[in-house]
Amino acid sequence: MEKKVLKGEIKFQIPLTEEQKQAKLTILNNVITVLKGAAGSGKSTLAAQVGLDLLFKKEVEKIIITRPMVSSPDEMEVGILPGGINEKLSLYTAPVYDNMYRLYRREKIEELVREGKIEVIPMSMLRGRNFSNTLLIGDEMQNCTDRALEMLLTRICSGTKVILCGDSSQIDLKDRKHSGFEYLCKHLSLIKEAAVVKLTSNHRHPIIEEIIKIYQ
């Protein structure tokens, strides 16, 4: 397969760092890419940038974003929050859309959402779905079990790429051993056109690195 190179980039409001540019090349040259990194390392922002770039260039027909509906054990469960499914989902979709609004014009992103070209789907609603010519982004994948990750990855059809973002230090499952994220990272190298990339730069306030050290 011919390796892709970055050219003719769409002008985004946040430029990629050199580390992110190299990670993007890895994404473009693989079917499945896992982005690992600590809080603030730019995993979700990079995934959103790649998705919008491919969508604007018509290399994919739509972006599907999924997140496990898992709250921190110390927080209120989503099931007992007021409102219907859309109100409950807004808690999980807000970080996804915030990244896209930072990258590109808000009105354009909202237009793409109305047209169904950007769609957020809970993990629990993926079973039975098949995605062709799609960029499938899985966010907070450290909160997925082995079975959930297997179900997600078997949705892939022709023309689809997958980006999975996660950080094992941020597992919110009640039993951390139930996370399948590290198992997937360990064995993904056995699959052709799959890769794991670790992002190390901090894109938030410098104090974040000191906070992470405290809790480690």
Side-chain angles (χ1 to χ4, degrees), residues 4-12 16 24-25 27-28 45-60 63 100 103-104 109 112 118 135 137 163:
K4 292 194 175 185
V5 296
L6 300 181
K7 60 181 180 179
E9 291 298 286
I10 305 296
K11 188 172 183 180
F12 290 99
L16 297 182
K24 183 173 181 178
L25 283 173
I27 293 168
L28 295 178
T45 300
L46 174 59
Q49 200 264 22
V50 174
L52 291 173
D53 199 32
L54 293 176
L55 187 63
F56 292 154
K57 293 176 179 176
K58 302 188 185 303
E59 294 187 30
V60 296
I63 302 170
M100 292 188 170
L103 285 164
Y104 209 74
I109 302 301
L112 292 169
I118 299 175
L135 182 72
I137 299 174
I163 306 174

PDB file of all heavy atoms in Angstrom, residues 4-12 16 24-25 27-28 45-60 63 100 103-104 109 112 118 135 137 163:
ATOM      1  N   LYS A   4       0.865   7.411   2.716  1.00  0.00           N
ATOM      2  CA  LYS A   4       0.377   8.758   2.532  1.00  0.00           C
ATOM      3  C   LYS A   4       1.319   9.756   3.188  1.00  0.00           C
ATOM      4  O   LYS A   4       2.019   9.453   4.143  1.00  0.00           O
ATOM      5  CB  LYS A   4      -1.021   8.902   3.134  1.00  0.00           C
ATOM      6  CG  LYS A   4      -2.088   8.120   2.383  1.00  0.00           C
ATOM      7  CD  LYS A   4      -3.458   8.564   2.802  1.00  0.00           C
ATOM      8  CE  LYS A   4      -4.530   7.869   1.957  1.00  0.00           C
ATOM      9  NZ  LYS A   4      -5.882   8.371   2.257  1.00  0.00           N
ATOM     10  N   VAL A   5       1.329  10.968   2.647  1.00  0.00           N
ATOM     11  CA  VAL A   5       2.098  12.062   3.234  1.00  0.00           C
ATOM     12  C   VAL A   5       1.152  13.233   3.447  1.00  0.00           C
ATOM     13  O   VAL A   5       0.107  13.329   2.803  1.00  0.00           O
ATOM     14  CB  VAL A   5       3.264  12.499   2.312  1.00  0.00           C
ATOM     15  CG1 VAL A   5       4.264  11.381   2.155  1.00  0.00           C
ATOM     16  CG2 VAL A   5       2.749  12.927   0.931  1.00  0.00           C
ATOM     17  N   LEU A   6       1.498  14.123   4.368  1.00  0.00           N
ATOM     18  CA  LEU A   6       0.661  15.286   4.633  1.00  0.00           C
ATOM     19  C   LEU A   6       0.866  16.340   3.553  1.00  0.00           C
ATOM     20  O   LEU A   6       1.975  16.754   3.280  1.00  0.00           O
ATOM     21  CB  LEU A   6       1.003  15.877   5.998  1.00  0.00           C
ATOM     22  CG  LEU A   6       0.815  14.960   7.209  1.00  0.00           C
ATOM     23  CD1 LEU A   6       1.179  15.721   8.477  1.00  0.00           C
ATOM     24  CD2 LEU A   6      -0.600  14.446   7.291  1.00  0.00           C
ATOM     25  N   LYS A   7      -0.214  16.756   2.918  1.00  0.00           N
ATOM     26  CA  LYS A   7      -0.132  17.819   1.923  1.00  0.00           C
ATOM     27  C   LYS A   7      -1.496  18.464   1.763  1.00  0.00           C
ATOM     28  O   LYS A   7      -2.525  17.837   1.988  1.00  0.00           O
ATOM     29  CB  LYS A   7       0.361  17.277   0.579  1.00  0.00           C
ATOM     30  CG  LYS A   7      -0.531  16.195  -0.025  1.00  0.00           C
ATOM     31  CD  LYS A   7       0.047  15.701  -1.341  1.00  0.00           C
ATOM     32  CE  LYS A   7      -0.843  14.617  -1.956  1.00  0.00           C
ATOM     33  NZ  LYS A   7      -0.316  14.136  -3.234  1.00  0.00           N
ATOM     34  N   GLY A   8      -1.495  19.697   1.342  1.00  0.00           N
ATOM     35  CA  GLY A   8      -2.746  20.401   1.105  1.00  0.00           C
ATOM     36  C   GLY A   8      -3.655  20.422   2.314  1.00  0.00           C
ATOM     37  O   GLY A   8      -4.851  20.219   2.207  1.00  0.00           O
ATOM     38  N   GLU A   9      -3.078  20.672   3.499  1.00  0.00           N
ATOM     39  CA  GLU A   9      -3.860  20.589   4.730  1.00  0.00           C
ATOM     40  C   GLU A   9      -4.914  21.688   4.811  1.00  0.00           C
ATOM     41  O   GLU A   9      -4.704  22.820   4.389  1.00  0.00           O
ATOM     42  CB  GLU A   9      -2.931  20.677   5.938  1.00  0.00           C
ATOM     43  CG  GLU A   9      -2.035  19.461   6.113  1.00  0.00           C
ATOM     44  CD  GLU A   9      -2.829  18.197   6.345  1.00  0.00           C
ATOM     45  OE1 GLU A   9      -3.374  18.003   7.443  1.00  0.00           O
ATOM     46  OE2 GLU A   9      -2.911  17.393   5.400  1.00  0.00           O
ATOM     47  N   ILE A  10      -6.072  21.339   5.374  1.00  0.00           N
ATOM     48  CA  ILE A  10      -7.103  22.311   5.693  1.00  0.00           C
ATOM     49  C   ILE A  10      -6.557  23.229   6.793  1.00  0.00           C
ATOM     50  O   ILE A  10      -5.823  22.796   7.667  1.00  0.00           O
ATOM     51  CB  ILE A  10      -8.378  21.595   6.198  1.00  0.00           C
ATOM     52  CG1 ILE A  10      -8.853  20.538   5.182  1.00  0.00           C
ATOM     53  CG2 ILE A  10      -9.481  22.600   6.509  1.00  0.00           C
ATOM     54  CD1 ILE A  10      -9.281  21.082   3.856  1.00  0.00           C
ATOM     55  N   LYS A  11      -6.922  24.496   6.766  1.00  0.00           N
ATOM     56  CA  LYS A  11      -6.429  25.432   7.769  1.00  0.00           C
ATOM     57  C   LYS A  11      -7.302  25.344   9.016  1.00  0.00           C
ATOM     58  O   LYS A  11      -8.450  25.791   9.023  1.00  0.00           O
ATOM     59  CB  LYS A  11      -6.429  26.865   7.224  1.00  0.00           C
ATOM     60  CG  LYS A  11      -5.743  27.851   8.166  1.00  0.00           C
ATOM     61  CD  LYS A  11      -5.585  29.208   7.526  1.00  0.00           C
ATOM     62  CE  LYS A  11      -4.834  30.149   8.458  1.00  0.00           C
ATOM     63  NZ  LYS A  11      -4.661  31.491   7.860  1.00  0.00           N
ATOM     64  N   PHE A  12      -6.757  24.743  10.057  1.00  0.00           N
ATOM     65  CA  PHE A  12      -7.470  24.633  11.325  1.00  0.00           C
ATOM     66  C   PHE A  12      -7.035  25.735  12.272  1.00  0.00           C
ATOM     67  O   PHE A  12      -5.969  26.331  12.126  1.00  0.00           O
ATOM     68  CB  PHE A  12      -7.217  23.252  11.953  1.00  0.00           C
ATOM     69  CG  PHE A  12      -7.888  22.129  11.213  1.00  0.00           C
ATOM     70  CD1 PHE A  12      -7.175  21.353  10.308  1.00  0.00           C
ATOM     71  CD2 PHE A  12      -9.236  21.868  11.412  1.00  0.00           C
ATOM     72  CE1 PHE A  12      -7.797  20.318   9.619  1.00  0.00           C
ATOM     73  CE2 PHE A  12      -9.866  20.829  10.738  1.00  0.00           C
ATOM     74  CZ  PHE A  12      -9.146  20.058   9.836  1.00  0.00           C
ATOM     75  N   LEU A  16      -1.119  21.520  14.426  1.00  0.00           N
ATOM     76  CA  LEU A  16      -0.561  20.317  15.035  1.00  0.00           C
ATOM     77  C   LEU A  16       0.903  20.532  15.371  1.00  0.00           C
ATOM     78  O   LEU A  16       1.627  21.213  14.658  1.00  0.00           O
ATOM     79  CB  LEU A  16      -0.688  19.127  14.079  1.00  0.00           C
ATOM     80  CG  LEU A  16      -2.090  18.665  13.689  1.00  0.00           C
ATOM     81  CD1 LEU A  16      -1.995  17.443  12.780  1.00  0.00           C
ATOM     82  CD2 LEU A  16      -2.945  18.356  14.907  1.00  0.00           C
ATOM     83  N   LYS A  24      -0.315  11.645  13.069  1.00  0.00           N
ATOM     84  CA  LYS A  24      -1.327  11.710  12.011  1.00  0.00           C
ATOM     85  C   LYS A  24      -0.904  10.870  10.805  1.00  0.00           C
ATOM     86  O   LYS A  24      -1.737  10.171  10.199  1.00  0.00           O
ATOM     87  CB  LYS A  24      -1.563  13.165  11.587  1.00  0.00           C
ATOM     88  CG  LYS A  24      -2.655  13.316  10.529  1.00  0.00           C
ATOM     89  CD  LYS A  24      -2.967  14.779  10.269  1.00  0.00           C
ATOM     90  CE  LYS A  24      -4.080  14.923   9.231  1.00  0.00           C
ATOM     91  NZ  LYS A  24      -4.437  16.337   9.007  1.00  0.00           N
ATOM     92  N   LEU A  25       0.360  10.914  10.446  1.00  0.00           N
ATOM     93  CA  LEU A  25       0.855  10.092   9.342  1.00  0.00           C
ATOM     94  C   LEU A  25       0.639   8.607   9.641  1.00  0.00           C
ATOM     95  O   LEU A  25       0.259   7.826   8.759  1.00  0.00           O
ATOM     96  CB  LEU A  25       2.330  10.366   9.083  1.00  0.00           C
ATOM     97  CG  LEU A  25       2.651  11.655   8.330  1.00  0.00           C
ATOM     98  CD1 LEU A  25       4.155  11.893   8.305  1.00  0.00           C
ATOM     99  CD2 LEU A  25       2.096  11.606   6.912  1.00  0.00           C
ATOM    100  N   ILE A  27      -1.711   7.372  11.521  1.00  0.00           N
ATOM    101  CA  ILE A  27      -3.148   7.140  11.379  1.00  0.00           C
ATOM    102  C   ILE A  27      -3.525   6.968   9.909  1.00  0.00           C
ATOM    103  O   ILE A  27      -4.269   6.049   9.538  1.00  0.00           O
ATOM    104  CB  ILE A  27      -3.951   8.306  11.994  1.00  0.00           C
ATOM    105  CG1 ILE A  27      -3.758   8.337  13.508  1.00  0.00           C
ATOM    106  CG2 ILE A  27      -5.433   8.197  11.637  1.00  0.00           C
ATOM    107  CD1 ILE A  27      -4.270   9.603  14.167  1.00  0.00           C
ATOM    108  N   LEU A  28      -3.004   7.847   9.059  1.00  0.00           N
ATOM    109  CA  LEU A  28      -3.364   7.806   7.640  1.00  0.00           C
ATOM    110  C   LEU A  28      -2.871   6.538   6.952  1.00  0.00           C
ATOM    111  O   LEU A  28      -3.459   6.097   5.960  1.00  0.00           O
ATOM    112  CB  LEU A  28      -2.794   9.037   6.925  1.00  0.00           C
ATOM    113  CG  LEU A  28      -3.358  10.393   7.358  1.00  0.00           C
ATOM    114  CD1 LEU A  28      -2.663  11.525   6.606  1.00  0.00           C
ATOM    115  CD2 LEU A  28      -4.868  10.466   7.155  1.00  0.00           C
ATOM    116  N   THR A  45      -8.124  15.686  20.581  1.00  0.00           N
ATOM    117  CA  THR A  45      -8.019  16.804  19.635  1.00  0.00           C
ATOM    118  C   THR A  45      -7.418  16.340  18.317  1.00  0.00           C
ATOM    119  O   THR A  45      -7.900  16.705  17.233  1.00  0.00           O
ATOM    120  CB  THR A  45      -7.173  17.936  20.230  1.00  0.00           C
ATOM    121  OG1 THR A  45      -7.779  18.395  21.438  1.00  0.00           O
ATOM    122  CG2 THR A  45      -7.060  19.100  19.257  1.00  0.00           C
ATOM    123  N   LEU A  46      -6.368  15.521  18.392  1.00  0.00           N
ATOM    124  CA  LEU A  46      -5.757  14.999  17.168  1.00  0.00           C
ATOM    125  C   LEU A  46      -6.743  14.128  16.399  1.00  0.00           C
ATOM    126  O   LEU A  46      -6.866  14.253  15.171  1.00  0.00           O
ATOM    127  CB  LEU A  46      -4.503  14.196  17.516  1.00  0.00           C
ATOM    128  CG  LEU A  46      -3.825  13.454  16.349  1.00  0.00           C
ATOM    129  CD1 LEU A  46      -3.415  14.426  15.246  1.00  0.00           C
ATOM    130  CD2 LEU A  46      -2.628  12.662  16.840  1.00  0.00           C
ATOM    131  N   ALA A  47      -7.460  13.252  17.101  1.00  0.00           N
ATOM    132  CA  ALA A  47      -8.440  12.391  16.431  1.00  0.00           C
ATOM    133  C   ALA A  47      -9.510  13.220  15.739  1.00  0.00           C
ATOM    134  O   ALA A  47      -9.897  12.942  14.598  1.00  0.00           O
ATOM    135  CB  ALA A  47      -9.072  11.437  17.444  1.00  0.00           C
ATOM    136  N   ALA A  48      -9.986  14.263  16.409  1.00  0.00           N
ATOM    137  CA  ALA A  48     -11.004  15.136  15.813  1.00  0.00           C
ATOM    138  C   ALA A  48     -10.439  15.868  14.597  1.00  0.00           C
ATOM    139  O   ALA A  48     -11.131  16.017  13.576  1.00  0.00           O
ATOM    140  CB  ALA A  48     -11.501  16.140  16.848  1.00  0.00           C
ATOM    141  N   GLN A  49      -9.183  16.326  14.676  1.00  0.00           N
ATOM    142  CA  GLN A  49      -8.573  17.031  13.541  1.00  0.00           C
ATOM    143  C   GLN A  49      -8.448  16.120  12.335  1.00  0.00           C
ATOM    144  O   GLN A  49      -8.750  16.520  11.206  1.00  0.00           O
ATOM    145  CB  GLN A  49      -7.202  17.580  13.960  1.00  0.00           C
ATOM    146  CG  GLN A  49      -6.688  18.691  13.076  1.00  0.00           C
ATOM    147  CD  GLN A  49      -5.725  18.209  11.986  1.00  0.00           C
ATOM    148  OE1 GLN A  49      -5.724  17.040  11.621  1.00  0.00           O
ATOM    149  NE2 GLN A  49      -4.944  19.120  11.439  1.00  0.00           N
ATOM    150  N   VAL A  50      -8.003  14.888  12.558  1.00  0.00           N
ATOM    151  CA  VAL A  50      -7.882  13.930  11.450  1.00  0.00           C
ATOM    152  C   VAL A  50      -9.258  13.658  10.846  1.00  0.00           C
ATOM    153  O   VAL A  50      -9.430  13.628   9.617  1.00  0.00           O
ATOM    154  CB  VAL A  50      -7.238  12.614  11.930  1.00  0.00           C
ATOM    155  CG1 VAL A  50      -7.254  11.572  10.810  1.00  0.00           C
ATOM    156  CG2 VAL A  50      -5.809  12.854  12.393  1.00  0.00           C
ATOM    157  N   GLY A  51     -10.256  13.491  11.703  1.00  0.00           N
ATOM    158  CA  GLY A  51     -11.606  13.227  11.205  1.00  0.00           C
ATOM    159  C   GLY A  51     -12.136  14.350  10.337  1.00  0.00           C
ATOM    160  O   GLY A  51     -12.644  14.126   9.237  1.00  0.00           O
ATOM    161  N   LEU A  52     -12.019  15.580  10.816  1.00  0.00           N
ATOM    162  CA  LEU A  52     -12.506  16.726  10.042  1.00  0.00           C
ATOM    163  C   LEU A  52     -11.723  16.883   8.745  1.00  0.00           C
ATOM    164  O   LEU A  52     -12.301  17.178   7.689  1.00  0.00           O
ATOM    165  CB  LEU A  52     -12.401  18.000  10.880  1.00  0.00           C
ATOM    166  CG  LEU A  52     -13.358  18.100  12.075  1.00  0.00           C
ATOM    167  CD1 LEU A  52     -13.025  19.327  12.917  1.00  0.00           C
ATOM    168  CD2 LEU A  52     -14.806  18.143  11.605  1.00  0.00           C
ATOM    169  N   ASP A  53     -10.410  16.673   8.804  1.00  0.00           N
ATOM    170  CA  ASP A  53      -9.573  16.782   7.618  1.00  0.00           C
ATOM    171  C   ASP A  53     -10.019  15.793   6.546  1.00  0.00           C
ATOM    172  O   ASP A  53     -10.190  16.149   5.372  1.00  0.00           O
ATOM    173  CB  ASP A  53      -8.115  16.537   8.012  1.00  0.00           C
ATOM    174  CG  ASP A  53      -7.130  17.061   6.981  1.00  0.00           C
ATOM    175  OD1 ASP A  53      -7.435  18.070   6.323  1.00  0.00           O
ATOM    176  OD2 ASP A  53      -6.059  16.459   6.822  1.00  0.00           O
ATOM    177  N   LEU A  54     -10.231  14.536   6.932  1.00  0.00           N
ATOM    178  CA  LEU A  54     -10.657  13.508   5.973  1.00  0.00           C
ATOM    179  C   LEU A  54     -12.063  13.786   5.453  1.00  0.00           C
ATOM    180  O   LEU A  54     -12.367  13.541   4.277  1.00  0.00           O
ATOM    181  CB  LEU A  54     -10.605  12.122   6.626  1.00  0.00           C
ATOM    182  CG  LEU A  54      -9.210  11.601   6.995  1.00  0.00           C
ATOM    183  CD1 LEU A  54      -9.323  10.264   7.716  1.00  0.00           C
ATOM    184  CD2 LEU A  54      -8.320  11.464   5.767  1.00  0.00           C
ATOM    185  N   LEU A  55     -12.925  14.316   6.330  1.00  0.00           N
ATOM    186  CA  LEU A  55     -14.294  14.620   5.912  1.00  0.00           C
ATOM    187  C   LEU A  55     -14.325  15.772   4.923  1.00  0.00           C
ATOM    188  O   LEU A  55     -14.993  15.703   3.882  1.00  0.00           O
ATOM    189  CB  LEU A  55     -15.134  14.953   7.144  1.00  0.00           C
ATOM    190  CG  LEU A  55     -16.640  15.144   6.920  1.00  0.00           C
ATOM    191  CD1 LEU A  55     -17.283  13.858   6.409  1.00  0.00           C
ATOM    192  CD2 LEU A  55     -17.320  15.591   8.212  1.00  0.00           C
ATOM    193  N   PHE A  56     -13.579  16.843   5.214  1.00  0.00           N
ATOM    194  CA  PHE A  56     -13.538  17.999   4.316  1.00  0.00           C
ATOM    195  C   PHE A  56     -12.954  17.629   2.949  1.00  0.00           C
ATOM    196  O   PHE A  56     -13.359  18.175   1.922  1.00  0.00           O
ATOM    197  CB  PHE A  56     -12.726  19.132   4.932  1.00  0.00           C
ATOM    198  CG  PHE A  56     -13.370  19.761   6.146  1.00  0.00           C
ATOM    199  CD1 PHE A  56     -12.596  20.383   7.116  1.00  0.00           C
ATOM    200  CD2 PHE A  56     -14.740  19.728   6.322  1.00  0.00           C
ATOM    201  CE1 PHE A  56     -13.178  20.959   8.228  1.00  0.00           C
ATOM    202  CE2 PHE A  56     -15.342  20.302   7.432  1.00  0.00           C
ATOM    203  CZ  PHE A  56     -14.554  20.919   8.394  1.00  0.00           C
ATOM    204  N   LYS A  57     -11.994  16.704   2.936  1.00  0.00           N
ATOM    205  CA  LYS A  57     -11.373  16.276   1.679  1.00  0.00           C
ATOM    206  C   LYS A  57     -12.151  15.153   0.996  1.00  0.00           C
ATOM    207  O   LYS A  57     -11.707  14.630  -0.036  1.00  0.00           O
ATOM    208  CB  LYS A  57      -9.938  15.807   1.958  1.00  0.00           C
ATOM    209  CG  LYS A  57      -9.015  16.929   2.398  1.00  0.00           C
ATOM    210  CD  LYS A  57      -7.636  16.388   2.753  1.00  0.00           C
ATOM    211  CE  LYS A  57      -6.699  17.498   3.174  1.00  0.00           C
ATOM    212  NZ  LYS A  57      -5.384  16.986   3.621  1.00  0.00           N
ATOM    213  N   LYS A  58     -13.295  14.779   1.604  1.00  0.00           N
ATOM    214  CA  LYS A  58     -14.182  13.744   1.051  1.00  0.00           C
ATOM    215  C   LYS A  58     -13.503  12.375   0.950  1.00  0.00           C
ATOM    216  O   LYS A  58     -13.820  11.573   0.085  1.00  0.00           O
ATOM    217  CB  LYS A  58     -14.738  14.166  -0.311  1.00  0.00           C
ATOM    218  CG  LYS A  58     -15.515  15.477  -0.274  1.00  0.00           C
ATOM    219  CD  LYS A  58     -16.209  15.770  -1.568  1.00  0.00           C
ATOM    220  CE  LYS A  58     -16.886  17.137  -1.555  1.00  0.00           C
ATOM    221  NZ  LYS A  58     -17.859  17.299  -0.466  1.00  0.00           N
ATOM    222  N   GLU A  59     -12.530  12.136   1.837  1.00  0.00           N
ATOM    223  CA  GLU A  59     -11.891  10.821   1.899  1.00  0.00           C
ATOM    224  C   GLU A  59     -12.690   9.857   2.771  1.00  0.00           C
ATOM    225  O   GLU A  59     -12.470   8.644   2.724  1.00  0.00           O
ATOM    226  CB  GLU A  59     -10.457  10.948   2.399  1.00  0.00           C
ATOM    227  CG  GLU A  59      -9.571  11.706   1.415  1.00  0.00           C
ATOM    228  CD  GLU A  59      -8.108  11.703   1.820  1.00  0.00           C
ATOM    229  OE1 GLU A  59      -7.668  10.728   2.465  1.00  0.00           O
ATOM    230  OE2 GLU A  59      -7.411  12.682   1.483  1.00  0.00           O
ATOM    231  N   VAL A  60     -13.588  10.402   3.586  1.00  0.00           N
ATOM    232  CA  VAL A  60     -14.588   9.607   4.294  1.00  0.00           C
ATOM    233  C   VAL A  60     -15.925  10.321   4.128  1.00  0.00           C
ATOM    234  O   VAL A  60     -15.971  11.522   3.833  1.00  0.00           O
ATOM    235  CB  VAL A  60     -14.268   9.433   5.795  1.00  0.00           C
ATOM    236  CG1 VAL A  60     -12.979   8.643   5.987  1.00  0.00           C
ATOM    237  CG2 VAL A  60     -14.210  10.774   6.514  1.00  0.00           C
ATOM    238  N   ILE A  63     -18.096  10.997  10.118  1.00  0.00           N
ATOM    239  CA  ILE A  63     -17.334  10.727  11.331  1.00  0.00           C
ATOM    240  C   ILE A  63     -18.297  10.160  12.363  1.00  0.00           C
ATOM    241  O   ILE A  63     -19.344  10.766  12.641  1.00  0.00           O
ATOM    242  CB  ILE A  63     -16.684  12.005  11.893  1.00  0.00           C
ATOM    243  CG1 ILE A  63     -15.765  12.665  10.865  1.00  0.00           C
ATOM    244  CG2 ILE A  63     -15.922  11.697  13.183  1.00  0.00           C
ATOM    245  CD1 ILE A  63     -15.295  14.056  11.272  1.00  0.00           C
ATOM    246  N   MET A 100     -13.940  19.906  18.492  1.00  0.00           N
ATOM    247  CA  MET A 100     -14.184  20.307  17.104  1.00  0.00           C
ATOM    248  C   MET A 100     -14.408  21.805  16.979  1.00  0.00           C
ATOM    249  O   MET A 100     -13.951  22.435  16.016  1.00  0.00           O
ATOM    250  CB  MET A 100     -15.368  19.527  16.545  1.00  0.00           C
ATOM    251  CG  MET A 100     -15.067  18.054  16.368  1.00  0.00           C
ATOM    252  SD  MET A 100     -16.373  17.174  15.497  1.00  0.00           S
ATOM    253  CE  MET A 100     -15.550  15.591  15.215  1.00  0.00           C
ATOM    254  N   LEU A 103     -11.207  23.526  16.885  1.00  0.00           N
ATOM    255  CA  LEU A 103     -10.444  23.289  15.662  1.00  0.00           C
ATOM    256  C   LEU A 103     -10.981  24.053  14.461  1.00  0.00           C
ATOM    257  O   LEU A 103     -10.214  24.464  13.582  1.00  0.00           O
ATOM    258  CB  LEU A 103     -10.460  21.788  15.332  1.00  0.00           C
ATOM    259  CG  LEU A 103      -9.570  20.906  16.202  1.00  0.00           C
ATOM    260  CD1 LEU A 103      -9.981  19.455  16.043  1.00  0.00           C
ATOM    261  CD2 LEU A 103      -8.109  21.086  15.818  1.00  0.00           C
ATOM    262  N   TYR A 104     -12.308  24.230  14.403  1.00  0.00           N
ATOM    263  CA  TYR A 104     -12.900  24.798  13.191  1.00  0.00           C
ATOM    264  C   TYR A 104     -14.132  25.622  13.570  1.00  0.00           C
ATOM    265  O   TYR A 104     -14.583  25.607  14.710  1.00  0.00           O
ATOM    266  CB  TYR A 104     -13.263  23.679  12.215  1.00  0.00           C
ATOM    267  CG  TYR A 104     -13.211  24.104  10.760  1.00  0.00           C
ATOM    268  CD1 TYR A 104     -11.982  24.282  10.122  1.00  0.00           C
ATOM    269  CD2 TYR A 104     -14.371  24.353  10.040  1.00  0.00           C
ATOM    270  CE1 TYR A 104     -11.924  24.684   8.805  1.00  0.00           C
ATOM    271  CE2 TYR A 104     -14.322  24.754   8.712  1.00  0.00           C
ATOM    272  CZ  TYR A 104     -13.104  24.931   8.096  1.00  0.00           C
ATOM    273  OH  TYR A 104     -13.046  25.325   6.790  1.00  0.00           O
ATOM    274  N   ILE A 109     -19.334  23.047  12.037  1.00  0.00           N
ATOM    275  CA  ILE A 109     -19.453  21.785  12.764  1.00  0.00           C
ATOM    276  C   ILE A 109     -20.928  21.459  13.017  1.00  0.00           C
ATOM    277  O   ILE A 109     -21.377  20.327  12.813  1.00  0.00           O
ATOM    278  CB  ILE A 109     -18.687  21.844  14.103  1.00  0.00           C
ATOM    279  CG1 ILE A 109     -17.207  22.164  13.864  1.00  0.00           C
ATOM    280  CG2 ILE A 109     -18.862  20.544  14.879  1.00  0.00           C
ATOM    281  CD1 ILE A 109     -16.479  21.178  12.986  1.00  0.00           C
ATOM    282  N   LEU A 112     -22.581  20.146   9.920  1.00  0.00           N
ATOM    283  CA  LEU A 112     -22.216  18.753   9.653  1.00  0.00           C
ATOM    284  C   LEU A 112     -22.978  17.800  10.573  1.00  0.00           C
ATOM    285  O   LEU A 112     -23.374  16.703  10.165  1.00  0.00           O
ATOM    286  CB  LEU A 112     -20.711  18.560   9.822  1.00  0.00           C
ATOM    287  CG  LEU A 112     -19.826  19.261   8.782  1.00  0.00           C
ATOM    288  CD1 LEU A 112     -18.359  19.219   9.214  1.00  0.00           C
ATOM    289  CD2 LEU A 112     -19.993  18.627   7.404  1.00  0.00           C
ATOM    290  N   ILE A 118     -21.505  14.052  11.094  1.00  0.00           N
ATOM    291  CA  ILE A 118     -20.840  13.812  12.373  1.00  0.00           C
ATOM    292  C   ILE A 118     -21.903  13.262  13.305  1.00  0.00           C
ATOM    293  O   ILE A 118     -22.945  13.890  13.505  1.00  0.00           O
ATOM    294  CB  ILE A 118     -20.231  15.095  12.965  1.00  0.00           C
ATOM    295  CG1 ILE A 118     -19.163  15.684  12.033  1.00  0.00           C
ATOM    296  CG2 ILE A 118     -19.631  14.812  14.344  1.00  0.00           C
ATOM    297  CD1 ILE A 118     -18.607  17.020  12.505  1.00  0.00           C
ATOM    298  N   LEU A 135     -14.742   7.517   9.397  1.00  0.00           N
ATOM    299  CA  LEU A 135     -13.707   7.559  10.418  1.00  0.00           C
ATOM    300  C   LEU A 135     -14.423   7.315  11.742  1.00  0.00           C
ATOM    301  O   LEU A 135     -15.273   8.109  12.152  1.00  0.00           O
ATOM    302  CB  LEU A 135     -12.974   8.890  10.464  1.00  0.00           C
ATOM    303  CG  LEU A 135     -11.865   8.873  11.526  1.00  0.00           C
ATOM    304  CD1 LEU A 135     -10.699   7.998  11.081  1.00  0.00           C
ATOM    305  CD2 LEU A 135     -11.368  10.262  11.870  1.00  0.00           C
ATOM    306  N   ILE A 137     -14.132   7.106  15.631  1.00  0.00           N
ATOM    307  CA  ILE A 137     -13.295   7.543  16.748  1.00  0.00           C
ATOM    308  C   ILE A 137     -13.863   6.998  18.043  1.00  0.00           C
ATOM    309  O   ILE A 137     -15.032   7.244  18.369  1.00  0.00           O
ATOM    310  CB  ILE A 137     -13.225   9.082  16.827  1.00  0.00           C
ATOM    311  CG1 ILE A 137     -12.618   9.669  15.548  1.00  0.00           C
ATOM    312  CG2 ILE A 137     -12.413   9.518  18.053  1.00  0.00           C
ATOM    313  CD1 ILE A 137     -12.657  11.194  15.494  1.00  0.00           C
ATOM    314  N   ILE A 163      -9.747   5.251  15.052  1.00  0.00           N
ATOM    315  CA  ILE A 163      -8.806   5.844  16.004  1.00  0.00           C
ATOM    316  C   ILE A 163      -9.365   5.609  17.396  1.00  0.00           C
ATOM    317  O   ILE A 163     -10.499   6.003  17.687  1.00  0.00           O
ATOM    318  CB  ILE A 163      -8.623   7.356  15.786  1.00  0.00           C
ATOM    319  CG1 ILE A 163      -8.219   7.673  14.341  1.00  0.00           C
ATOM    320  CG2 ILE A 163      -7.575   7.907  16.750  1.00  0.00           C
ATOM    321  CD1 ILE A 163      -8.175   9.168  14.037  1.00  0.00           C
TER     322      ILE A 163
END
